[in-house]
Amino acid sequence: MKLTRRVKRLEQTLPPPPVVDWQRQKRWHKVYKRWVGLCIEAQPLLGDDQDRVLNAILQAATECTGALAPWFIHLHSGLCRLPELSPEAMKGVLLAWLSPEQDGGRVCNRCGLEYPKHKLPETRWQLLPGKQYMVGDAPYFDFPEFFTACPGCGNSLYDVDSPWETEKHGHEWKKLDGYVGSPGRTAR
């Protein structure tokens, strides 16, 4: 009797243990394995940058810190997806994340890959010749970019979301392999 009351009191003061989504854990393990595999495939192409990239990979994978950590955390959180990438594309994405000129990520609306965007210039922005802001298709300005198109699928650099906006939209890439799913929701 006393033990039952104590257990009830304990249950009222402490929250129940979290429910583990084993399917999501399996998907994360698969995505993590793909991420490591893509990094290994890109390694021979990195040349002098191998040590710098390897240190960043280890930092992200073991401590969730460093230049690659936002991408790694967003993959785990279901804010983006990791499609199959060529070694050349993976090399480009890794080096762009490590660039001092990167300024956060953008997520491709077609394939779900998150890749870095370039810092905007601090000088006065000049419209491209023959362009009027918000009239016609982007780009409107000649900003520096790491890529000319999405390194995962070739989609436009302007058909993207910020990582935190992807939860609001029912993107088709959320049904594809390489997506972990949001915590508390299931993917596929």
Side-chain angles (χ1 to χ4, degrees), residues 12-171:
Q12 290 171 350
T13 57
L14 294 176
V19 176
V20 177
D21 181 348
W22 292 110
Q23 292 302 315
R24 187 173 183 284
Q25 289 294 95
K26 276 175 70 173
R27 289 190 302 271
W28 168 242
H29 179 71
K30 209 170 154 186
V31 168
Y32 178 78
K33 215 169 142 182
R34 176 182 287 177
W35 190 73
V36 170
L38 291 172
C39 289
I40 290 168
E41 289 175 10
Q43 182 185 4
L45 304 174
L46 293 169
D48 294 341
D49 292 310
Q50 280 189 20
D51 288 341
R52 188 168 65 100
V53 171
L54 179 60
N55 288 334
I57 291 167
L58 291 173
Q59 244 187 325
T62 59
E63 304 165 15
C64 284
T65 60
L68 294 174
W71 183 29
F72 193 74
I73 291 165
H74 294 163
L75 281 168
H76 185 266
S77 301
L79 299 177
C80 61
R81 171 181 171 256
L82 184 60
E84 286 289 347
L85 298 174
S86 70
E88 294 79 14
M90 187 64 171
K91 171 195 171 193
V93 172
L94 289 169
L95 292 177
W97 277 113
L98 270 59
S99 170
E101 295 300 310
Q102 73 91 358
D103 188 28
R106 58 172 67 135
V107 180
C108 175
N109 285 334
R110 185 188 299 162
C111 72
L113 175 67
E114 181 178 4
Y115 56 95
K117 56 186 176 185
H118 202 284
K119 284 183 183 175
L120 294 176
E122 294 181 19
T123 60
R124 186 165 180 220
W125 300 354
Q126 294 293 321
L127 280 168
L128 288 169
K131 288 287 190 168
Q132 187 175 351
Y133 184 62
M134 298 300 287
V135 175
D137 293 332
Y140 306 105
F141 303 96
D142 188 21
F143 292 144
E145 295 284 359
F146 292 115
F147 307 101
T148 57
C150 170
C153 68
N155 194 23
S156 168
L157 297 180
Y158 304 100
D159 185 18
V160 294
D161 274 334
S162 297
W164 57 89
E165 292 176 326
T166 62
E167 279 191 307
K168 302 175 199 171
H169 302 109
H171 295 292

